[in-house]
Amino acid sequence: MERFRQWILPVLAAVLILGAAMTVLLLSRPHIGDLLSFTGRPPSQSPLSDGESARSVTYRFLFPGEAHAAPGKLTLGRFANGHLCEGATWEFDGIDQWHGWASAIFARERHWTPEEQPGWRISRWLVENIDSAYDCDHLFWSIQALQYLDPDSLANEIDMIEHSGCTVRIVLTEGVSTYDYNVDTLYWNPVAVPDPLAALAHELHHAWHDLCRNGDAVPDKGREQLALLAENRIRHILFLKDPASSHLYPRLGTQESPPEILGDSPQETWANYRNAIAH
């Protein structure tokens, strides 16, 4: 009996320790519901309806105040033939959360294949660094975010880059994001301040200008002014759609006068900037 006690007590202790550790792990693990809110049923649970093809399905981030846009959230909507699908919106606290959950969302979409999306080829042009956490997939989902933020402009430029028949070498940098027209190389800082997506939009516009609009023939000043307009378009859209980007200001170039543009808040500054651009 004494032998049995000597054997069983350590085993029970080990079981209790393991059980306590599992409890802590489960309690500390974030729930999907805490990180990502689904409204309604995930669209992948129902097949495409009559007259709805894969090409008719699009996605974009909603503007605040738009139907089914969640207050204080970055909201993605799924559209079929231009109409928001019932129960097909996803809510995020910001772009960082998008990066954490985007791949899981689209894995549910039967008609959606990453390799067929504009931006997939561009993301594979990245020269990967094994020591970096920012790989081709991170770049791909960054490009998807840009497309869904700005489907009317930047999304078209991304598609044109991929159909240009040319390629761009993409290199991650810890310095300032830049584009080299001489060697068709894009340098991107994925943690750029104040926003890496805006920096990526700036350099992708340079790539589009270079490959699709003979940007080599344009003076440096003209190239930069056009890219700055594209960057500020994304900054403004992020400011409007992403609550985590409500601090973003426009980046001023040589054609804007800071005393006339800068206001006491981002809202006032953006209003001044839009007025200056319009005139």
Side-chain angles (χ1 to χ4, degrees), residues 109-229:
E109 292 285 61
R110 294 178 185 142
H111 68 277
W112 197 93
T113 304
E115 293 82 357
E116 296 177 354
Q117 305 309 310
W120 176 263
R121 288 183 59 207
I122 294 176
S123 69
R124 304 304 113 171
W125 297 339
L126 174 67
V127 180
E128 289 197 78
N129 184 341
I130 59 174
D131 296 325
S132 175
Y134 302 97
D135 56 9
C136 291
D137 288 339
H138 180 87
L139 176 57
F140 172 72
W141 289 112
S142 296
I143 294 173
Q144 296 313 297
L146 287 174
Q147 293 194 116
Y148 300 152
L149 285 165
D150 187 15
D152 297 323
S153 181
L154 191 57
N156 294 326
E157 293 183 6
I158 290 167
D159 188 58
M160 290 176 69
I161 290 171
E162 292 198 324
H163 285 86
S164 68
C166 305
T167 60
V168 169
R169 183 169 177 262
I170 301 178
V171 180
L172 298 183
T173 179
E174 295 180 355
V176 177
S177 300
T178 60
Y179 183 84
D180 191 330
Y181 280 76
N182 294 322
V183 291
D184 299 349
T185 300
L186 188 159
Y187 299 91
W188 178 48
N189 185 337
V191 292
V193 176
D195 189 89
L197 274 185
L200 180 59
H202 185 116
E203 306 315 328
L204 283 174
H205 182 85
H206 273 308
W208 169 82
H209 188 219
D210 182 20
L211 304 183
C212 305
R213 289 294 182 267
N214 193 28
D216 287 309
V218 178
D220 290 348
K221 185 177 179 180
R223 298 173 183 172
E224 192 58 27
Q225 188 62 32
L226 290 171
L228 187 58
L229 288 171

